[in-house]
C-alpha cells in the first residue's frame, strides 16, 4: 500500500493521495487501506517511513560497496553517493524523490511525519560524513567533516530538486563526483587542509 502511495504522490502530488486511490493503484478491495491506516495522516506517516526504509536500503548498499576487500579496490563513498543520486533521476528512484519532497512539504504540520523525514535525512548526512572523512589526510577534523558534509548534502539536495522538476543540470555520476570533489576540496582549502582523491 505504501509503495502504491509513493507512486500516487509522484504522479499526482499530496492532494491526489486518497485511501481509494491507493486501493486502486495496489489492486486492493475498497476499505483495505483505511483498515490499516484509519486517517490520511496515518497513511502519509506510513508512506514516509517506507520512503525512509527504501533510502536506508540504498545507504546500506553503498556502505557495503565501500567495505574494504582483499581482492578489490574500494570505491570512494563520494563516487558511490554520486551514483545513488543519479539513479534517483529515473524510474522508481525519481518517483521516490518526488514523493519524498511531497511528504517534506507536509512534515512541518505533523511531528510524526517530520520524524520520519528527519530519519531519512540523518542517514544521508551520515553517508556524506563517511564520504568526506574518507578523503581526509592526517587526523580527522570533526568540525571540517561536518561542514563538508553539510555542503555535500545541500548541493546534492539541489541536484535532486532539479531532477524532480525535469532539469537535471548534471549529466552523469562521473560529473557529479567531480563537482562534489571540487566542493569538498574548496571547503577544506578554507580550513587550510588538503584532501586526497
Amino acid at each position: 500500500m505504501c509503495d502504491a502511495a509513493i507512486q500516487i504522490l509522484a504522479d499526482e502530488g499530496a492532494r491526489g493521495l486518497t485511501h481509494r486511490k491507493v486501493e486502486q493503484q495496489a489492486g486492493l478491495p475498497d476499505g483495505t487501506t483505511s483498515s490499516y491506516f484509519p486517517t490520511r495522516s496515518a497513511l502519509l506517516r506510513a508512506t514516509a517511513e517506507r520512503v525512509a526504509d527504501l533510502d536506508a536500503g540504498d545507504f546500506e548498499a553503498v556502505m557495503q560497496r565501500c567495505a574494504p576487500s582483499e581482492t578489490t579496490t574500494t570505491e570512494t563513498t563520494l563516487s558511490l553517493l554520486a551514483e545513488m543520486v543519479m539513479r534517483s533521476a529515473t524510474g522508481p528512484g525519481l518517483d521516490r524523490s518526488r514523493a519524498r519532497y511531497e511528504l517534506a512539504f507536509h512534515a512541518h504540520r505533523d511531528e510524526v511525519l517530520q520524524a520520519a523525514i528527519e530519519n531519512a535525512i540523518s542517514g544521508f548526512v551520515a553517508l556524506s560524513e563517511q564520504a568526506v572523512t574518507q578523503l581526509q589526510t592526517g587526523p580527522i577534523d570533526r568540525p571540517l567533516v561536518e561542514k563538508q558534509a553539510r555542503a555535500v548534502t545541500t548541493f546534492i539536495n539541489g541536484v535532486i530538486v532539479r531532477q524532480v522538476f525535469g532539469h537535471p543540470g548534471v549529466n552523469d555520476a562521473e560529473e557529479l563526483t567531480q563537482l562534489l570533489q571540487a566542493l569538498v576540496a574548496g571547503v577544506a582549502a578554507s580550513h587550510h587542509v588538503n584532501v586526497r582523491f
Side-chain angles (χ1 to χ4, degrees):
M1 284 182 280
C2 290
D3 289 342
I6 288 170
Q7 189 65 55
I8 293 164
L9 286 169
D11 293 342
E12 302 182 36
R15 289 185 180 180
L17 183 65
T18 66
H19 289 77
R20 179 70 185 119
K21 284 187 179 176
V22 168
E23 290 155 359
Q24 289 172 339
Q25 179 76 27
L28 297 170
D30 291 356
T32 304
T33 306
S34 59
S35 68
Y36 285 91
F37 311 112
T39 65
R40 189 166 184 279
S41 290
L43 178 58
L44 285 168
R45 292 170 184 171
T47 305
E49 289 169 2
R50 175 65 174 154
V51 168
D53 287 345
L54 292 169
D55 287 345
D58 287 349
F59 300 150
E60 182 61 31
V62 169
M63 301 296 266
Q64 288 177 355
R65 284 181 64 186
C66 289
S69 167
E70 294 178 4
T71 58
T72 60
T73 303
T74 302
E75 296 175 86
T76 69
T77 308
L78 205 58
S79 65
L80 294 175
L81 185 59
E83 286 178 23
M84 186 178 77
V85 169
M86 295 311 294
R87 280 194 303 274
S88 71
T90 59
L94 180 58
D95 292 338
R96 194 187 331 157
S97 293
R98 288 180 173 150
R100 188 184 304 108
Y101 283 107
E102 289 290 334
L103 291 163
F105 290 138
H106 288 273
H108 73 280
R109 298 183 197 101
D110 185 324
E111 289 182 11
V112 177
L113 183 56
Q114 178 75 30
I117 298 293
E118 286 177 0
N119 185 42
I121 292 170
S122 295
F124 195 68
V125 169
L127 188 58
S128 297
E129 287 185 358
Q130 176 180 328
V132 297
T133 299
Q134 190 180 47
L135 302 173
Q136 300 290 317
T137 58
I140 302 303
D141 181 341
R142 285 304 308 163
L144 174 59
V145 165
E146 290 169 6
K147 188 174 182 181
Q148 288 171 316
R150 247 189 345 267
V152 165
T153 54
T154 301
F155 184 82
I156 285 175
N157 187 53
V159 170
I160 295 173
V161 166
R162 287 180 61 97
Q163 291 170 342
V164 164
F165 287 103
H167 306 287
V170 177
N171 295 316
D172 53 36
E174 183 178 344
E175 181 183 4
L176 181 55
T177 300
Q178 292 169 354
L179 291 169
L180 293 174
Q181 288 173 340
L183 180 65
V184 169
V187 174
S190 72
H191 285 245
H192 309 290
V193 173
N194 292 321
V195 292
R196 64 174 186 274
F197 297 112

